[in-house]
Amino acid sequence: MTRFLCIIPLVLMASAASAQQAGQDVCARDASRFCRAYLAEGDQVVLACLKQNRARLSKACQALLTRHGQ
């Protein structure tokens, strides 16, 4: 039982990381296309760029930003 309880946080962290990776994959092409100059400056700068270009983003990336309150 104790082993099972120790595994739960690891599974939750892995699923959160997986969801974040999926999100990055959804917007990767848009980020590369519209925010190439900012890719080396970090996630927050790229996110700001994506938000500035929201009307030009793919529907999937727009939906992802909306789901995450952006």
Side-chain angles (χ1 to χ4, degrees):
M1 179 73 164
T2 311
R3 285 188 218 160
F4 179 72
L5 294 176
C6 293
I7 293 173
I8 291 174
L10 296 175
V11 171
L12 292 175
M13 287 188 323
S15 65
S18 176
Q20 182 179 6
Q21 181 62 42
Q24 289 175 347
D25 291 345
V26 168
C27 291
R29 186 171 183 189
D30 292 309
S32 174
R33 191 169 171 198
F34 302 116
C35 306
R36 181 180 306 270
Y38 306 108
L39 292 178
E41 295 185 33
D43 292 345
Q44 295 302 315
V45 176
V46 174
L47 177 60
C49 176
L50 288 172
K51 288 166 50 173
Q52 287 177 343
N53 289 285
R54 183 180 293 273
R56 301 167 63 193
L57 300 178
S58 66
K59 297 292 182 197
C61 186
Q62 287 180 16
L64 180 73
L65 291 177
T66 300
R67 275 195 311 271
H68 289 280
Q70 300 295 324

